[in-house]
Amino acid sequence: MVSRRRVLAAGMATATGVTGAALVPTAATPAVGAERAGAEPAADTGALATTPFTQAMPLPRVLSPVSSVGGLDVYVMTMKPAMAEILPGIRTRVLTFDGAFPGPLIKARRGRPVVIHQRNRLDVPTSVHLHGGEVAQEHDGQPMETIAPGQDRTYFYPNNQPHASLWYHDHAHHLESENVYRGLSGSYLLTDDHEESLPLPTGEYDLPIAVRDANIDETGLHYTMSDRQRSTMLANGKAYPYVEVAARKYRIRFLNCSNQRYMELGLEDGSEMVQIGSDGGLLPRPHSTATLPLSAAERADVVIDFSRYPVGSSVVLKNSGGFGNPELVGQVLRFDIVRTAEDNSSVPSVLRELPPLPQPTAERTVTLRMDEDGRADPHAYIDEKLYDPSRVDQQIRFGASEVWTVKNLNQLAWHNFHMHLVQFRVLERDGRAPGPGEAGLKDTVNLRPNETVKVQATFDAHRGSYVYHCHMLDHSAMGMMATMKIS
Ligand code: C2O
Ligand code: CU
């Protein structure tokens, strides 16, 4: 085991033609938490944690309800530590929902509520949040409403909203960053009649893929806040896996469940993917793109037609976003085209009609800023304030439809902006119309340094207090979170 990393590094250098020089550590890291685009000097020490594409990417286990009577699906999940094989042949301690890394997949449908009994058998408090869900305050998994170790809590999800690619994760105050990093997240796919009426790929041709980074080696998964050594890329809990596909169309639902890594995913041959959805379900129209930008917590739903590749060939899914050594963070997984298959699926030219935006009833401005001068104990602020769970930062009238102008005041640090309870619309990005990938319903929106984004949200689902925050969880744990009260 001692020489493992050196052996792997040497193997990789041979396999890819990387020279020794490229593996040498580079300049000191910039300000803590500053997330930059791919051209930045690497902060990594160099070696790939494993030979890529040697392990198969699993699909998440679909959780079965313990009861389905009366139009209600009841699930039980136990949060517990487990050992996961993230690097081949090496067992790593992780925190899980129900023993799975990432957690099991919940399949829900509109109009059919879900109840989840969550049993916390970890030694830390947790709070389970359904990200993107329209959920009553007491079931929202608020930062202070934690489940103590050994305790249970029941969450009720009404599923009254349209189809969406939701996900669930820990949200315990000051702990969410490490808890989610160590494994406490999973997907929750909510469908509806409209989505099911479309001829999109389904069943085994519909793949949920959760991508993230990690600082991992044979001694374990390492967490420190704003760590710049998270340079191993995982897909569904495996480092650099391969995925066997047939030469036909697949629907792939990407979730970036990283703590803070911004990604730009694309196929190594630069060929097009058809984006059909984002956080809050299908886009109005499909659009072709070679690059999928995905900040932490965002989702992108795409159709990739593998029939353009011969059986027996492979194509790597690359990442060109975020900091780090491109030799390490620049690839995610490899699709291996292993067979032919029939394909009756297609992507309609109109995917959904979104309701027209109501006349806004209020406007607000929100600023995001973190200390980026390299100080030892950086904090992160919304409107120059640290999160205080006892303070209400915005009072909102129930039924209001509001335009929020969100500004990233940092020169180096990237942020994003997530609101609980609502799926909003992105109106503008630095004064211009947003790109076609942001034309649907969103719950998280990326903000580059100095960028300003306008969103419109309508608060007509529930009354109560909910948080909004940067979803780079190291930042929210540093204070970049605030409370809105709808009444
Ligand atoms: Cu994924 Cu407060 O959220
Ligand atoms: Cu941030």
Side-chain angles (χ1 to χ4, degrees):
M1 199 58 72
V2 178
S3 61
R4 181 177 182 88
R5 293 201 76 150
R6 201 178 320 143
V7 168
L8 292 170
M12 188 55 201
T14 313
T16 62
V18 174
T19 64
L23 299 173
V24 166
T26 51
T29 58
V32 171
E35 170 110 1
R36 304 215 201 165
E40 281 304 304
D44 325 89
T45 49
L48 273 167
T50 183
T51 307
F53 320 130
T54 57
Q55 46 184 353
M57 185 194 74
L59 291 175
R61 169 169 60 91
V62 180
L63 196 64
S64 308
V66 293
S67 126
S68 277
V69 288
L72 184 77
D73 292 327
V74 179
Y75 295 90
V76 178
M77 270 198 242
T78 303
M79 290 173 264
K80 58 186 179 189
M83 301 303 282
E85 195 175 326
I86 300 168
L87 301 173
I90 297 172
R91 286 158 57 78
T92 302
R93 185 177 187 274
V94 292
L95 306 185
T96 70
F97 286 102
D98 235 39
F101 178 84
L105 172 63
I106 305 266
K107 289 199 164 182
R109 70 174 301 119
R110 187 177 191 180
R112 191 174 171 87
V114 159
V115 167
I116 306 184
H117 295 296
Q118 290 284 4
R119 308 167 67 230
N120 182 2
R121 300 300 177 263
L122 298 165
D123 57 9
V124 287
T126 57
S127 175
V128 184
H129 170 56
L130 180 63
H131 179 120
E134 279 182 14
V135 167
Q137 180 191 315
E138 60 271 32
H139 299 286
D140 190 49
Q142 309 236 328
M144 306 308 289
E145 301 207 1
T146 52
I147 315 171
Q151 301 295 301
D152 301 352
R153 187 177 175 117
T154 300
Y155 294 92
F156 178 78
Y157 303 132
N159 297 327
N160 283 332
Q161 66 195 98
H163 72 269
S165 299
L166 308 179
W167 62 299
Y168 58 95
H169 62 79
D170 177 61
H171 217 302
H173 190 36
H174 284 318
L175 298 171
E176 77 276 28
S177 173
E178 179 163 1
N179 285 349
V180 173
Y181 177 82
R182 294 200 179 278
L184 289 181
S185 72
S187 286
Y188 182 111
L189 299 179
L190 174 62
T191 191
D192 61 13
D193 292 344
H194 170 69
E195 183 185 39
E196 285 193 336
S197 73
L198 301 177
L200 297 167
T202 55
E204 63 174 304
Y205 305 112
D206 178 357
L207 308 179
I209 302 184
V211 288
R212 58 167 291 180
D213 59 6
N215 178 344
I216 185 171
D217 60 23
E218 59 275 18
T219 66
L221 192 59
H222 305 290
Y223 175 83
T224 49
M225 200 176 255
S226 288
D227 185 359
R228 298 184 68 83
Q229 316 283 324
R230 293 174 188 159
S231 43
T232 298
M233 302 296 286
L234 316 185
N236 287 349
K238 299 283 186 195
Y240 310 111
Y242 65 83
V243 186
E244 293 190 341
V245 294
R248 55 154 284 160
K249 287 188 282 309
Y250 278 75
R251 178 177 185 179
I252 298 182
R253 307 190 201 216
F254 289 112
L255 156 66
N256 179 353
C257 65
S258 304
N259 258 53
Q260 57 172 34
R261 173 172 295 281
Y262 170 73
M263 298 183 192
E264 286 185 9
L265 301 178
L267 297 167
E268 67 176 322
D269 61 354
S271 64
E272 307 247 292
M273 302 171 281
V274 180
Q275 186 176 2
I276 57 167
S278 63
D279 306 341
L282 294 167
L283 298 172
R285 310 273 180 279
H287 81 101
S288 290
T289 179
T291 319
L292 289 174
L294 216 52
S295 71
E298 286 188 292
R299 285 85 77 205
D301 204 339
V302 298
V303 171
I304 300 178
D305 190 350
F306 294 103
S307 71
R308 62 187 177 231
Y309 302 110
V311 170
S313 65
S314 295
V315 59
V316 171
L317 181 75
K318 302 190 37 163
N319 166 43
S320 54
F323 59 82
N325 181 347
E327 296 297 334
L328 310 183
V329 302
Q331 54 191 353
V332 180
L333 56 80
R334 190 182 69 196
F335 293 109
D336 293 344
I337 297 85
V338 297
R339 61 188 172 91
T340 56
E342 240 189 283
D343 189 358
N344 301 317
S345 70
S346 59
V347 178
S349 58
V350 176
L351 294 163
R352 88 190 293 183
E353 294 300 339
L354 288 173
L357 279 167
Q359 194 59 36
T361 52
E363 302 215 9
R364 298 173 200 260
T365 299
V366 169
T367 62
L368 309 177
R369 188 183 71 79
M370 73 185 294
D371 299 322
E372 59 179 352
D373 53 6
R375 70 181 72 181
D377 184 22
H379 292 291
Y381 316 88
I382 292 188
D383 295 327
E384 301 301 324
K385 287 180 237 164
L386 292 172
Y387 176 54
D388 175 353
S390 64
R391 187 184 67 221
V392 172
D393 298 277
Q394 310 282 354
Q395 294 274 1
I396 297 171
R397 192 173 51 71
F398 181 76
S401 186
E402 303 197 346
V403 174
W404 287 35
T405 300
V406 186
K407 297 180 189 228
N408 177 0
L409 301 182
N410 279 108
Q411 306 301 309
L412 301 173
W414 293 48
H415 298 295
N416 68 17
F417 185 71
H418 168 52
M419 293 166 103
H420 284 214
L421 180 66
V422 287
Q423 291 287 340
F424 52 71
R425 302 277 291 274
V426 182
L427 304 180
E428 276 176 24
R429 185 171 274 292
D430 274 345
R432 292 183 307 274
E438 291 184 318
L441 299 173
K442 296 280 293 167
D443 55 50
T444 308
V445 64
N446 186 45
L447 285 131
R448 291 167 186 254
N450 277 312
E451 207 167 26
T452 298
V453 166
K454 267 187 208 275
V455 303
Q456 182 169 348
T458 302
F459 299 90
D460 57 2
H462 294 278
R463 291 170 210 265
S465 293
Y466 294 85
V467 290
Y468 53 98
H469 56 93
C470 177
H471 216 292
M472 296 168 71
L473 293 176
D474 289 330
H475 296 181
S476 55
M478 283 182 225
M480 197 176 267
M481 177 143 65
T483 300
M484 56 185 181
K485 184 170 184 186
I486 298 108
S487 50

